PDB file of all heavy atoms in Angstrom:
ATOM      1  N   MET Z 669     -22.154   8.383 -19.099  1.00 92.00           N
ATOM      2  CA  MET Z 669     -21.802   7.746 -20.356  1.00 92.00           C
ATOM      3  C   MET Z 669     -22.071   6.245 -20.310  1.00 92.00           C
ATOM      4  O   MET Z 669     -22.623   5.673 -21.258  1.00 92.00           O
ATOM      5  CB  MET Z 669     -20.323   8.011 -20.671  1.00 92.00           C
ATOM      6  CG  MET Z 669     -19.833   7.375 -21.960  1.00 92.00           C
ATOM      7  SD  MET Z 669     -18.151   7.868 -22.411  1.00 92.00           S
ATOM      8  CE  MET Z 669     -17.230   7.192 -21.047  1.00 92.00           C
ATOM      9  N   ASP Z 670     -21.697   5.589 -19.219  1.00 92.00           N
ATOM     10  CA  ASP Z 670     -21.932   4.146 -19.116  1.00 92.00           C
ATOM     11  C   ASP Z 670     -23.422   3.820 -19.113  1.00 92.00           C
ATOM     12  O   ASP Z 670     -23.856   2.816 -19.706  1.00 92.00           O
ATOM     13  CB  ASP Z 670     -21.287   3.606 -17.844  1.00 92.00           C
ATOM     14  CG  ASP Z 670     -19.825   3.262 -18.050  1.00 92.00           C
ATOM     15  OD1 ASP Z 670     -19.096   4.119 -18.583  1.00 92.00           O
ATOM     16  OD2 ASP Z 670     -19.421   2.149 -17.687  1.00 92.00           O
ATOM     17  N   LEU Z 671     -24.215   4.647 -18.447  1.00 92.00           N
ATOM     18  CA  LEU Z 671     -25.655   4.414 -18.415  1.00 92.00           C
ATOM     19  C   LEU Z 671     -26.257   4.544 -19.801  1.00 92.00           C
ATOM     20  O   LEU Z 671     -27.075   3.706 -20.214  1.00 92.00           O
ATOM     21  CB  LEU Z 671     -26.301   5.402 -17.441  1.00 92.00           C
ATOM     22  CG  LEU Z 671     -27.830   5.377 -17.358  1.00 92.00           C
ATOM     23  CD1 LEU Z 671     -28.320   4.022 -16.884  1.00 92.00           C
ATOM     24  CD2 LEU Z 671     -28.333   6.481 -16.447  1.00 92.00           C
ATOM     25  N   LEU Z 672     -25.861   5.571 -20.537  1.00 91.00           N
ATOM     26  CA  LEU Z 672     -26.410   5.758 -21.880  1.00 91.00           C
ATOM     27  C   LEU Z 672     -26.017   4.609 -22.801  1.00 91.00           C
ATOM     28  O   LEU Z 672     -26.830   4.114 -23.581  1.00 91.00           O
ATOM     29  CB  LEU Z 672     -25.917   7.086 -22.462  1.00 91.00           C
ATOM     30  CG  LEU Z 672     -26.411   8.364 -21.767  1.00 91.00           C
ATOM     31  CD1 LEU Z 672     -25.817   9.591 -22.447  1.00 91.00           C
ATOM     32  CD2 LEU Z 672     -27.933   8.433 -21.773  1.00 91.00           C
ATOM     33  N   HIS Z 673     -24.771   4.170 -22.720  1.00 90.00           N
ATOM     34  CA  HIS Z 673     -24.340   3.097 -23.615  1.00 90.00           C
ATOM     35  C   HIS Z 673     -25.001   1.774 -23.256  1.00 90.00           C
ATOM     36  O   HIS Z 673     -25.412   1.012 -24.148  1.00 90.00           O
ATOM     37  CB  HIS Z 673     -22.818   2.948 -23.557  1.00 90.00           C
ATOM     38  CG  HIS Z 673     -22.271   1.975 -24.556  1.00 90.00           C
ATOM     39  ND1 HIS Z 673     -22.172   0.623 -24.297  1.00 90.00           N
ATOM     40  CD2 HIS Z 673     -21.812   2.149 -25.827  1.00 90.00           C
ATOM     41  CE1 HIS Z 673     -21.662   0.013 -25.345  1.00 90.00           C
ATOM     42  NE2 HIS Z 673     -21.440   0.921 -26.294  1.00 90.00           N
ATOM     43  N   ALA Z 674     -25.114   1.462 -21.965  1.00 89.00           N
ATOM     44  CA  ALA Z 674     -25.734   0.203 -21.563  1.00 89.00           C
ATOM     45  C   ALA Z 674     -27.194   0.125 -21.984  1.00 89.00           C
ATOM     46  O   ALA Z 674     -27.716  -0.957 -22.271  1.00 89.00           O
ATOM     47  CB  ALA Z 674     -25.601   0.016 -20.054  1.00 89.00           C
ATOM     48  N   SER Z 675     -27.855   1.263 -22.047  1.00 88.00           N
ATOM     49  CA  SER Z 675     -29.277   1.285 -22.417  1.00 88.00           C
ATOM     50  C   SER Z 675     -29.487   1.511 -23.905  1.00 88.00           C
ATOM     51  O   SER Z 675     -30.628   1.697 -24.338  1.00 88.00           O
ATOM     52  CB  SER Z 675     -29.998   2.373 -21.617  1.00 88.00           C
ATOM     53  OG  SER Z 675     -29.377   3.632 -21.823  1.00 88.00           O
ATOM     54  N   GLY Z 676     -28.427   1.518 -24.695  1.00 87.00           N
ATOM     55  CA  GLY Z 676     -28.559   1.647 -26.143  1.00 87.00           C
ATOM     56  C   GLY Z 676     -28.759   3.060 -26.635  1.00 87.00           C
ATOM     57  O   GLY Z 676     -29.127   3.249 -27.805  1.00 87.00           O
ATOM     58  N   LEU Z 677     -28.498   4.064 -25.808  1.00 88.00           N
ATOM     59  CA  LEU Z 677     -28.685   5.456 -26.214  1.00 88.00           C
ATOM     60  C   LEU Z 677     -27.379   6.129 -26.620  1.00 88.00           C
ATOM     61  O   LEU Z 677     -27.352   7.349 -26.818  1.00 88.00           O
ATOM     62  CB  LEU Z 677     -29.323   6.253 -25.069  1.00 88.00           C
ATOM     63  CG  LEU Z 677     -30.694   5.743 -24.606  1.00 88.00           C
ATOM     64  CD1 LEU Z 677     -31.220   6.611 -23.475  1.00 88.00           C
ATOM     65  CD2 LEU Z 677     -31.680   5.723 -25.764  1.00 88.00           C
ATOM     66  N   LEU Z 678     -26.323   5.355 -26.746  1.00 85.00           N
ATOM     67  CA  LEU Z 678     -25.025   5.902 -27.138  1.00 85.00           C
ATOM     68  C   LEU Z 678     -24.358   4.898 -28.070  1.00 85.00           C
ATOM     69  O   LEU Z 678     -23.917   3.841 -27.642  1.00 85.00           O
ATOM     70  CB  LEU Z 678     -24.150   6.148 -25.901  1.00 85.00           C
ATOM     71  CG  LEU Z 678     -22.912   7.025 -26.086  1.00 85.00           C
ATOM     72  CD1 LEU Z 678     -23.296   8.424 -26.536  1.00 85.00           C
ATOM     73  CD2 LEU Z 678     -22.115   7.082 -24.792  1.00 85.00           C
ATOM     74  N   LYS Z 679     -24.315   5.233 -29.341  1.00 81.00           N
ATOM     75  CA  LYS Z 679     -23.767   4.347 -30.343  1.00 81.00           C
ATOM     76  C   LYS Z 679     -22.259   4.541 -30.477  1.00 81.00           C
ATOM     77  O   LYS Z 679     -21.716   5.583 -30.138  1.00 81.00           O
ATOM     78  CB  LYS Z 679     -24.452   4.585 -31.699  1.00 81.00           C
ATOM     79  CG  LYS Z 679     -25.939   4.264 -31.709  1.00 81.00           C
ATOM     80  CD  LYS Z 679     -26.172   2.794 -31.405  1.00 81.00           C
ATOM     81  CE  LYS Z 679     -27.659   2.443 -31.473  1.00 81.00           C
ATOM     82  NZ  LYS Z 679     -27.917   1.030 -31.152  1.00 81.00           N
ATOM     83  N   SER Z 680     -21.606   3.506 -31.008  1.00 75.00           N
ATOM     84  CA  SER Z 680     -20.151   3.561 -31.147  1.00 75.00           C
ATOM     85  C   SER Z 680     -19.694   4.598 -32.163  1.00 75.00           C
ATOM     86  O   SER Z 680     -18.549   5.037 -32.137  1.00 75.00           O
ATOM     87  CB  SER Z 680     -19.623   2.177 -31.549  1.00 75.00           C
ATOM     88  OG  SER Z 680     -20.221   1.749 -32.771  1.00 75.00           O
ATOM     89  N   LYS Z 681     -20.586   5.034 -33.075  1.00 77.00           N
ATOM     90  CA  LYS Z 681     -20.221   6.036 -34.076  1.00 77.00           C
ATOM     91  C   LYS Z 681     -20.700   7.433 -33.695  1.00 77.00           C
ATOM     92  O   LYS Z 681     -20.718   8.326 -34.540  1.00 77.00           O
ATOM     93  CB  LYS Z 681     -20.820   5.658 -35.430  1.00 77.00           C
ATOM     94  CG  LYS Z 681     -20.247   4.380 -36.019  1.00 77.00           C
ATOM     95  CD  LYS Z 681     -20.844   4.096 -37.384  1.00 77.00           C
ATOM     96  CE  LYS Z 681     -20.268   2.836 -37.995  1.00 77.00           C
ATOM     97  NZ  LYS Z 681     -20.834   2.548 -39.331  1.00 77.00           N
ATOM     98  N   SER Z 682     -21.073   7.613 -32.439  1.00 81.00           N
ATOM     99  CA  SER Z 682     -21.600   8.909 -32.020  1.00 81.00           C
ATOM    100  C   SER Z 682     -20.476   9.914 -31.830  1.00 81.00           C
ATOM    101  O   SER Z 682     -19.299   9.573 -31.707  1.00 81.00           O
ATOM    102  CB  SER Z 682     -22.387   8.755 -30.718  1.00 81.00           C
ATOM    103  OG  SER Z 682     -21.522   8.337 -29.684  1.00 81.00           O
ATOM    104  N   VAL Z 683     -20.866  11.187 -31.805  1.00 82.00           N
ATOM    105  CA  VAL Z 683     -19.901  12.258 -31.573  1.00 82.00           C
ATOM    106  C   VAL Z 683     -19.264  12.116 -30.194  1.00 82.00           C
ATOM    107  O   VAL Z 683     -18.069  12.389 -30.002  1.00 82.00           O
ATOM    108  CB  VAL Z 683     -20.596  13.625 -31.717  1.00 82.00           C
ATOM    109  CG1 VAL Z 683     -19.643  14.759 -31.379  1.00 82.00           C
ATOM    110  CG2 VAL Z 683     -21.149  13.790 -33.124  1.00 82.00           C
ATOM    111  N   SER Z 684     -20.026  11.677 -29.201  1.00 81.00           N
ATOM    112  CA  SER Z 684     -19.529  11.564 -27.834  1.00 81.00           C
ATOM    113  C   SER Z 684     -18.348  10.622 -27.732  1.00 81.00           C
ATOM    114  O   SER Z 684     -17.412  10.867 -26.962  1.00 81.00           O
ATOM    115  CB  SER Z 684     -20.650  11.085 -26.905  1.00 81.00           C
ATOM    116  OG  SER Z 684     -21.749  11.961 -26.954  1.00 81.00           O
ATOM    117  N   LEU Z 685     -18.387   9.526 -28.466  1.00 81.00           N
ATOM    118  CA  LEU Z 685     -17.318   8.540 -28.382  1.00 81.00           C
ATOM    119  C   LEU Z 685     -16.221   8.754 -29.408  1.00 81.00           C
ATOM    120  O   LEU Z 685     -15.093   8.297 -29.207  1.00 81.00           O
ATOM    121  CB  LEU Z 685     -17.887   7.125 -28.527  1.00 81.00           C
ATOM    122  CG  LEU Z 685     -18.906   6.689 -27.467  1.00 81.00           C
ATOM    123  CD1 LEU Z 685     -19.311   5.248 -27.692  1.00 81.00           C
ATOM    124  CD2 LEU Z 685     -18.354   6.871 -26.073  1.00 81.00           C
ATOM    125  N   LYS Z 686     -16.517   9.432 -30.502  1.00 81.00           N
ATOM    126  CA  LYS Z 686     -15.550   9.570 -31.594  1.00 81.00           C
ATOM    127  C   LYS Z 686     -14.817  10.909 -31.590  1.00 81.00           C
ATOM    128  O   LYS Z 686     -13.690  10.995 -32.081  1.00 81.00           O
ATOM    129  CB  LYS Z 686     -16.265   9.409 -32.946  1.00 81.00           C
ATOM    130  CG  LYS Z 686     -16.940   8.063 -33.141  1.00 81.00           C
ATOM    131  CD  LYS Z 686     -15.920   6.958 -33.341  1.00 81.00           C
ATOM    132  CE  LYS Z 686     -15.283   7.052 -34.706  1.00 81.00           C
ATOM    133  NZ  LYS Z 686     -14.391   5.932 -34.980  1.00 81.00           N
ATOM    134  N   MET Z 687     -15.431  11.946 -31.053  1.00 82.00           N
ATOM    135  CA  MET Z 687     -14.838  13.272 -31.164  1.00 82.00           C
ATOM    136  C   MET Z 687     -14.602  13.962 -29.817  1.00 82.00           C
ATOM    137  O   MET Z 687     -13.560  14.571 -29.612  1.00 82.00           O
ATOM    138  CB  MET Z 687     -15.738  14.174 -32.037  1.00 82.00           C
ATOM    139  CG  MET Z 687     -15.896  13.688 -33.469  1.00 82.00           C
ATOM    140  SD  MET Z 687     -16.933  14.796 -34.456  1.00 82.00           S
ATOM    141  CE  MET Z 687     -15.922  16.275 -34.492  1.00 82.00           C
ATOM    142  N   SER Z 688     -15.560  13.870 -28.897  1.00 82.00           N
ATOM    143  CA  SER Z 688     -15.471  14.636 -27.655  1.00 82.00           C
ATOM    144  C   SER Z 688     -14.243  14.307 -26.809  1.00 82.00           C
ATOM    145  O   SER Z 688     -13.616  15.216 -26.252  1.00 82.00           O
ATOM    146  CB  SER Z 688     -16.741  14.427 -26.821  1.00 82.00           C
ATOM    147  OG  SER Z 688     -17.869  14.910 -27.505  1.00 82.00           O
ATOM    148  N   PRO Z 689     -13.824  13.027 -26.669  1.00 81.00           N
ATOM    149  CA  PRO Z 689     -12.673  12.755 -25.792  1.00 81.00           C
ATOM    150  C   PRO Z 689     -11.373  13.443 -26.192  1.00 81.00           C
ATOM    151  O   PRO Z 689     -10.526  13.682 -25.345  1.00 81.00           O
ATOM    152  CB  PRO Z 689     -12.541  11.223 -25.868  1.00 81.00           C
ATOM    153  CG  PRO Z 689     -13.905  10.735 -26.203  1.00 81.00           C
ATOM    154  CD  PRO Z 689     -14.478  11.772 -27.111  1.00 81.00           C
ATOM    155  N   SER Z 690     -11.202  13.746 -27.472  1.00 80.00           N
ATOM    156  CA  SER Z 690      -9.933  14.341 -27.918  1.00 80.00           C
ATOM    157  C   SER Z 690     -10.085  15.787 -28.364  1.00 80.00           C
ATOM    158  O   SER Z 690      -9.163  16.340 -28.966  1.00 80.00           O
ATOM    159  CB  SER Z 690      -9.367  13.521 -29.083  1.00 80.00           C
ATOM    160  OG  SER Z 690     -10.291  13.468 -30.158  1.00 80.00           O
ATOM    161  N   ALA Z 691     -11.216  16.410 -28.064  1.00 83.00           N
ATOM    162  CA  ALA Z 691     -11.456  17.769 -28.539  1.00 83.00           C
ATOM    163  C   ALA Z 691     -11.004  18.835 -27.560  1.00 83.00           C
ATOM    164  O   ALA Z 691     -11.007  20.011 -27.903  1.00 83.00           O
ATOM    165  CB  ALA Z 691     -12.940  17.964 -28.849  1.00 83.00           C
ATOM    166  N   SER Z 692     -10.616  18.446 -26.346  1.00 82.00           N
ATOM    167  CA  SER Z 692     -10.208  19.416 -25.339  1.00 82.00           C
ATOM    168  C   SER Z 692      -8.734  19.216 -25.009  1.00 82.00           C
ATOM    169  O   SER Z 692      -8.159  18.167 -25.314  1.00 82.00           O
ATOM    170  CB  SER Z 692     -11.060  19.254 -24.073  1.00 82.00           C
ATOM    171  OG  SER Z 692     -12.420  19.505 -24.344  1.00 82.00           O
ATOM    172  N   PRO Z 693      -8.103  20.197 -24.394  1.00 83.00           N
ATOM    173  CA  PRO Z 693      -6.687  20.051 -24.026  1.00 83.00           C
ATOM    174  C   PRO Z 693      -6.470  18.852 -23.111  1.00 83.00           C
ATOM    175  O   PRO Z 693      -7.381  18.407 -22.415  1.00 83.00           O
ATOM    176  CB  PRO Z 693      -6.377  21.369 -23.308  1.00 83.00           C
ATOM    177  CG  PRO Z 693      -7.386  22.327 -23.806  1.00 83.00           C
ATOM    178  CD  PRO Z 693      -8.621  21.536 -24.049  1.00 83.00           C
ATOM    179  N   PRO Z 694      -5.259  18.290 -23.117  1.00 82.00           N
ATOM    180  CA  PRO Z 694      -4.991  17.104 -22.284  1.00 82.00           C
ATOM    181  C   PRO Z 694      -5.239  17.383 -20.810  1.00 82.00           C
ATOM    182  O   PRO Z 694      -4.850  18.415 -20.272  1.00 82.00           O
ATOM    183  CB  PRO Z 694      -3.508  16.810 -22.552  1.00 82.00           C
ATOM    184  CG  PRO Z 694      -3.214  17.457 -23.860  1.00 82.00           C
ATOM    185  CD  PRO Z 694      -4.087  18.667 -23.920  1.00 82.00           C
ATOM    186  N   ASN Z 695      -5.912  16.448 -20.177  1.00 83.00           N
ATOM    187  CA  ASN Z 695      -6.136  16.480 -18.737  1.00 83.00           C
ATOM    188  C   ASN Z 695      -6.150  15.039 -18.261  1.00 83.00           C
ATOM    189  O   ASN Z 695      -6.887  14.207 -18.792  1.00 83.00           O
ATOM    190  CB  ASN Z 695      -7.453  17.170 -18.394  1.00 83.00           C
ATOM    191  CG  ASN Z 695      -7.659  17.314 -16.899  1.00 83.00           C
ATOM    192  OD1 ASN Z 695      -7.920  16.344 -16.196  1.00 83.00           O
ATOM    193  ND2 ASN Z 695      -7.542  18.537 -16.408  1.00 83.00           N
ATOM    194  N   MET Z 696      -5.330  14.740 -17.286  1.00 84.00           N
ATOM    195  CA  MET Z 696      -5.124  13.361 -16.884  1.00 84.00           C
ATOM    196  C   MET Z 696      -6.411  12.680 -16.427  1.00 84.00           C
ATOM    197  O   MET Z 696      -6.589  11.477 -16.611  1.00 84.00           O
ATOM    198  CB  MET Z 696      -4.082  13.311 -15.769  1.00 84.00           C
ATOM    199  CG  MET Z 696      -3.421  11.981 -15.588  1.00 84.00           C
ATOM    200  SD  MET Z 696      -1.986  12.109 -14.515  1.00 84.00           S
ATOM    201  CE  MET Z 696      -0.952  13.197 -15.482  1.00 84.00           C
ATOM    202  N   LEU Z 697      -7.324  13.436 -15.849  1.00 86.00           N
ATOM    203  CA  LEU Z 697      -8.584  12.847 -15.390  1.00 86.00           C
ATOM    204  C   LEU Z 697      -9.577  12.706 -16.525  1.00 86.00           C
ATOM    205  O   LEU Z 697     -10.193  11.648 -16.712  1.00 86.00           O
ATOM    206  CB  LEU Z 697      -9.169  13.708 -14.268  1.00 86.00           C
ATOM    207  CG  LEU Z 697      -8.427  13.630 -12.933  1.00 86.00           C
ATOM    208  CD1 LEU Z 697      -8.944  14.675 -11.973  1.00 86.00           C
ATOM    209  CD2 LEU Z 697      -8.560  12.243 -12.328  1.00 86.00           C
TER     210      LEU Z 697
END
Side-chain angles (χ1 to χ4, degrees):
M669 179 173 64
D670 274 50
L671 175 62
L672 294 179
H673 186 273
S675 56
L677 300 180
L678 195 61
K679 296 298 183 181
S680 58
K681 294 182 179 180
S682 64
V683 176
S684 302
L685 299 183
K686 299 289 287 185
M687 298 181 66
S688 297
S690 58
S692 298
N695 185 288
M696 201 168 297
L697 288 171

